[in-house]
Amino acid sequence: MIDLGPHATYIIAAYSFVFIVTVGLIAVTVSNVTRQARRLERLEAERKSGA
Amino acid sequence: MTDQGETISTNWFSQLAHPGFFMRWSAYLIWPLALISAVLFAVGLWFALFHSPADYQMGETVRIMYVHVPNAWLSQFCYGIMAVSAVGTLVWRHPMADVSMKAAAPLGAAFTAMALVSGALWGRPTWGTFWEWDGRMTSTLILFLIYLGLIALWRTFEDQLRAAKVVAVLTLVGAVNIPIIKFSVDWWNTLHQPSTFFRADGPKAPASIITPLLTMTLAFTVLFLLLHVLRMRTEVTKRKADRLEHLKIARQQKAS
Amino acid sequence: MVPQLPFPKIDISVKGLRCKRGERTVLDGVDLQAPSGTFVAVRGPNGAGKSTFLMCVAGLLPFSGTVSIGSQGWDEDEHPINEQMIFITHLNAIKPELTVYENLSFWADLGGGARDRIRPALEAAGVSRLRDVPAGAMSKGQQRRCSLARLLLADKPIWLLDEPTSALDKSGDIWIAGLISAQVRRGGVVIAATHRPIEPEADIAMVTLDLEAR
Amino acid sequence: MQALWALLIRDLKSASRAGGSLTTLIAFYLSLGVILPIAIGPDKPLLASLGPALIWTGVLLSSLLGLDRIFVADHDDGSLTAFRHTRLGLSAISFVKLIVHWLTTALPLIVLTPVMGVLFSIDLDTLFAVMLTLLLGTPAITALSLVAAALSVSLKRGAVIAPILVMPLAIPAVIFGVGAAKPVLGAGQAETALLFLSAMSLVFVAFAPFAAALALRVSQE
């Protein structure tokens, strides 16, 4: 790891915050994709079996 | 009963004709975008953290800029996308425009929040304070409030298509206002303190700063596009599923 | 009473009307032929789209299909407001803090200044004694009568009525039936959405439009 | 024209008889005039220097109070639908609503401002300056309120959401309004601020009725 100088805390804090939010965004987005896709699949299957 | 089924299916085909097309072509975008974004992030972070010198003025804190500036740019880029989508909703009545607008708003708020927090963390070592009422940070904060307002307005509506049109009107009103806000805040800023701050994207920035900055900006932008497409696809899927659920409830009511 | 001259011929025809309200398709392929001098009773259970149908004909909602009024026809998104009609919704559009007279003279002014019709209209509605009473102090039925009195101010050939008889008593029903009959006899077109059947006079041409719940 | 006049008179009559709203407005504004000095402390020079800013904030917050009333009554009693078959377009109606809202909300606040001036112990010149900037700047705030009210007209929680929409957009009005009234400024800057303030009010008042009409139309669909 390189030496980040006297303000290392701020640099690390900034990168961590951006990292957490970005990863969080990706995680939420991907989980929504799969959740809605599953929901649609389930409903479509129900519709087919019902009809 | 079969008759009923027929009318229902024709309905939804005509309704989803456009979204169906979108779902087909956008499927080819996801992995390339993800790959490009990942590579850009890898290269950008390597430059930003290891392969760029400390600035002679700001020292190591210049590295915060590499995450701050891309987010600040995206906070505005996202509003641009929303404004175009708003015109699409109201004028061209394109069926994907409101999906795009709905998908963009929370992303815009998130990127604006990242710009604000990284800006504050950059400001503390550079200016000696977390929050400086300088023109740019103030405008960004106001933009954040506007994003919150848009999201709040959207969430109070139950009917998504009606919400889209109303939110589109507000988005455009905001788009007209943002330059006025920017201008007024800059004027207010010069009034209260002479502007002597370091300008991050000034023309004198050396190449050692430009390379990581550009790479990171591209990386974040591609990531934004990827997330936007994914969220749009989710919304289309969700609406299809909602519709099936309504039909199911209607069937059950009929049966009982 | 105001002289009752016949209206110029004005026919309404609706073909394949489809209307979505937000995400919900409310009407899907509704047809109607209502030539001059017809009373149309729109019937159907709650949620069948009676009000939506009226709003489409009134030009307040985007629709697909065709709606033509007189010589003009529209389809798809075009929905101009037609000055030849008056639309009384299920709401009264009466301000409780203003008097009956003030309310009606306001609507008369908006319709283009026919204040001399207010008195006969109030008399016909049976609320002339309440002229200077704040509208909020009246009963629901009286407020409805007051709102329907707007029909007599405007003198338009086309009437769109959404539940005109709601809150009205037996004598109110008879009054409305009489109004509609007179309007139809003059060559006007009345389209009314109702739960309770309205019984116009025997010689009136009447069309029934039944909407199904979706 | 006659129809516009009729609408203006009817709304003013209605507002004057409905009662309560004006009292609420006055009480809210004056309460701010008491709470702010109590929170800041009875330091007269400090209060006087903060005066214009506090008064502008007070006016902005108070004017948001009755914001949802602009269209809600006409929406709920069906008048808004009935308007559609008259000769008035929705934009003309919105313009009248703008005038009515300004007359019933902004104007009483401006008239009450001398009382606030006394509470904040600001001098006469500053008071006049503040009242002038309020006179020139409140139309912009009213215009924004009009659009926000139209956007939220069909919502049950419209009264909560509409102020949130107005506040960020009203910031330029506050900046130029307070900027023009601040006694520390050079004459040139105050004039610039006044100019921008008036320009903003004019532009907003010109465009708001159309935006509001659009919002009303789509929220009826």
Side-chain angles (χ1 to χ4, degrees):
Chain A
M1 196 70 195
I2 54 162
D3 176 28
L4 287 175
H7 301 302
T9 336
Y10 297 107
I11 300 173
I12 292 166
Y15 274 80
S16 334
F17 180 81
V18 170
F19 181 78
I20 290 167
V21 173
T22 311
V23 169
L25 262 184
I26 296 172
V28 168
T29 307
V30 171
S31 88
N32 275 337
V33 170
T34 49
R35 204 182 59 208
Q36 293 297 342
R38 269 198 211 125
R39 184 166 157 246
L40 181 65
E41 234 168 69
R42 183 173 52 83
L43 284 162
E44 240 155 17
E46 274 176 29
R47 193 168 112 90
K48 281 209 187 93
S49 64
Chain B
M1 193 59 216
T2 35
D3 203 341
Q4 183 74 10
E6 290 273 328
T7 42
I8 285 163
S9 61
T10 41
N11 273 352
W12 78 247
F13 273 126
S14 60
Q15 188 202 342
L16 291 174
H18 273 72
F21 182 61
F22 167 80
M23 293 298 274
R24 252 175 290 135
W25 66 258
S26 65
Y28 295 108
L29 282 180
I30 296 170
W31 287 111
L33 282 177
L35 200 70
I36 295 171
S37 165
V39 171
L40 283 171
F41 266 116
V43 176
L45 280 173
W46 181 69
F47 268 119
L49 288 176
F50 306 110
H51 199 68
S52 63
D55 189 70
Y56 71 98
Q57 234 180 344
M58 294 181 289
E60 298 288 345
T61 55
V62 70
R63 301 190 195 285
I64 298 181
M65 191 173 82
Y66 306 139
V67 289
H68 169 72
V69 172
N71 284 310
W73 139 253
L74 277 176
S75 68
Q76 293 175 24
F77 179 70
C78 184
Y79 204 92
I81 295 224
M82 287 182 66
V84 173
S85 307
V87 175
T89 306
L90 290 174
V91 182
W92 307 314
R93 305 201 176 184
H94 193 283
M96 287 311 291
D98 65 279
V99 176
S100 157
M101 203 163 56
K102 192 182 181 193
L107 290 179
F111 282 108
T112 314
M114 285 195 276
L116 284 169
V117 172
S118 59
L121 288 170
W122 188 21
R124 181 65 214 235
T126 318
W127 303 330
T129 166
F130 280 113
W131 186 259
E132 191 61 65
W133 287 98
D134 102 303
R136 244 183 256 192
M137 289 187 77
T138 313
S139 307
T140 309
L141 182 59
I142 299 172
L143 185 63
F144 185 63
L145 294 178
I146 294 176
Y147 274 123
L148 288 187
L150 285 168
I151 296 171
L153 182 62
W154 203 306
R155 296 183 75 121
T156 39
F157 279 90
E158 260 176 35
D159 188 307
Q160 294 302 297
L161 293 185
R162 189 174 302 186
K165 289 181 179 168
V166 174
V167 172
V169 176
L170 181 64
T171 307
L172 290 181
V173 171
V176 173
N177 261 277
I178 284 171
I180 301 176
I181 291 172
K182 185 110 189 60
F183 171 76
S184 68
V185 167
D186 284 344
W187 180 83
W188 170 78
N189 194 236
T190 56
L191 200 72
H192 289 269
Q193 59 219 89
S195 182
T196 52
F197 292 129
F198 164 82
R199 296 182 69 85
D201 50 359
K204 278 181 291 181
S208 62
I209 288 185
I210 292 290
T211 316
L213 191 60
L214 270 184
T215 325
M216 288 299 278
T217 306
L218 267 178
F220 272 106
T221 310
V222 176
L223 176 69
F224 167 78
L225 293 176
L226 171 67
L227 290 174
H228 190 219
V229 168
L230 280 176
R231 290 181 56 92
M232 280 173 77
R233 290 175 61 86
T234 312
E235 182 65 20
V236 172
T237 315
K238 181 177 173 289
R239 287 186 188 179
K240 255 195 236 176
D242 283 349
R243 201 168 155 70
L244 284 179
E245 199 154 273
H246 281 148
L247 290 176
K248 185 176 135 193
I249 293 167
R251 266 205 314 276
Q252 284 168 348
Q253 276 174 347
K254 215 167 196 179
S256 64
Chain C
M1 268 317 258
V2 191
Q4 303 272 299
L5 296 169
F7 291 114
K9 191 169 165 51
I10 188 155
D11 303 336
I12 295 183
S13 109
V14 175
K15 285 196 198 87
L17 180 71
R18 282 191 60 197
C19 182
K20 280 177 69 181
R21 302 208 56 184
E23 294 165 12
R24 212 165 64 92
T25 303
V26 183
L27 299 171
D28 195 5
V30 178
D31 300 299
L32 172 71
Q33 296 294 331
S36 258
T38 330
F39 166 55
V40 181
V42 184
R43 299 189 307 200
N46 287 331
K50 298 190 294 291
S51 303
T52 302
F53 177 76
L54 288 178
M55 286 184 80
C56 283
V57 175
L60 300 179
L61 290 177
F63 54 82
S64 57
T66 317
V67 173
S68 50
I69 293 165
S71 54
Q72 293 168 285
W74 306 284
D75 40 48
E76 302 304 321
D77 295 333
E78 301 268 326
H79 41 108
I81 300 294
N82 192 307
E83 277 202 24
Q84 294 195 287
M85 56 173 68
I86 180 163
F87 180 20
I88 307 265
T89 62
H90 63 286
L91 299 165
N92 286 332
I94 294 287
K95 287 268 166 270
E97 58 273 8
L98 302 185
T99 68
V100 174
Y101 181 81
E102 283 168 335
N103 269 301
L104 284 185
S105 69
F106 166 67
W107 288 111
D109 287 348
L110 280 198
R115 287 195 175 208
D116 51 335
R117 290 167 184 271
I118 298 173
R119 227 168 69 102
L122 286 178
E123 271 164 19
V127 287
S128 57
R129 272 185 312 114
L130 304 167
R131 209 189 99 112
D132 296 315
V133 170
M138 297 195 299
S139 74
K140 284 274 180 296
Q142 286 167 329
Q143 287 183 11
R144 193 63 183 154
R145 282 164 178 265
C146 179
S147 180
L148 288 162
R150 277 157 48 205
L151 292 170
L152 299 171
L153 302 178
D155 200 34
K156 304 277 175 81
I158 300 167
W159 290 357
L160 304 178
L161 310 174
D162 196 351
E163 300 293 352
T165 51
S166 68
L168 290 187
D169 54 11
K170 192 75 198 142
S171 71
D173 286 4
I174 294 167
W175 174 57
I176 293 290
L179 277 185
I180 292 174
S181 304
Q183 174 79 355
V184 169
R185 260 194 213 107
R186 288 177 67 195
V189 178
V190 179
I191 304 181
T194 52
H195 269 307
R196 256 190 301 161
I198 297 176
E199 286 157 20
E201 285 153 36
D203 58 322
I204 296 301
M206 184 167 148
V207 175
T208 317
L209 176 66
D210 282 304
L211 298 175
E212 277 173 39
R214 290 187 55 87
Chain D
M1 199 57 221
Q2 189 207 1
L4 286 179
W5 191 248
L7 178 59
L8 182 74
I9 298 295
R10 172 242 204 192
D11 278 3
L12 286 177
K13 254 187 206 166
S14 196
S16 69
R17 283 187 210 165
S21 53
L22 185 66
T23 324
T24 315
L25 181 75
I26 293 171
F28 189 86
Y29 189 47
L30 290 182
S31 306
L32 285 176
V34 175
I35 284 171
L36 290 172
I38 284 178
I40 292 166
D43 179 349
K44 280 198 171 183
L46 179 64
L47 279 177
S49 74
L50 292 176
L54 296 178
I55 290 174
W56 257 89
T57 315
V59 168
L60 176 64
L61 294 180
S62 313
S63 72
L64 296 178
L65 202 60
L67 166 59
D68 63 309
R69 276 198 315 267
I70 302 179
F71 288 112
V72 153
D74 278 343
H75 177 264
D76 290 353
D77 72 9
S79 299
L80 220 45
T81 316
F83 287 147
R84 302 284 294 271
H85 287 274
T86 62
R87 289 169 193 183
L88 294 178
L90 279 179
S91 355
I93 288 161
S94 302
F95 183 67
V96 174
K97 294 284 174 188
L98 199 163
I99 296 174
V100 170
H101 189 64
W102 190 83
L103 288 175
T104 54
T105 305
L107 192 61
L109 294 176
I110 297 173
V111 170
L112 268 180
T113 296
V115 180
M116 297 288 267
V118 173
L119 293 175
F120 294 134
S121 59
I122 59 179
D123 60 73
L124 263 188
D125 286 345
T126 317
L127 177 66
F128 286 138
V130 172
M131 287 175 76
L132 179 66
T133 61
L134 283 175
L135 211 55
L136 292 174
T138 44
I141 293 178
T142 311
L144 289 170
S145 309
L146 183 84
V147 178
L151 288 168
S152 58
V153 70
S154 61
L155 296 170
K156 280 186 205 82
R157 295 201 293 142
V160 187
I161 191 106
I164 306 287
L165 308 180
V166 174
M167 273 194 275
L169 301 178
I171 285 172
V174 175
I175 287 179
F176 291 128
V178 179
K182 262 263 169 88
V184 290
L185 285 181
Q189 266 172 330
E191 270 164 25
T192 321
L194 271 187
L195 216 61
F196 283 131
L197 196 63
S198 325
M200 222 173 64
S201 281
L202 272 178
V203 172
F204 281 17
V205 167
F207 283 108
F210 297 102
L214 185 61
L216 289 176
R217 211 168 291 132
V218 296
S219 58
Q220 200 162 36
E221 282 175 5

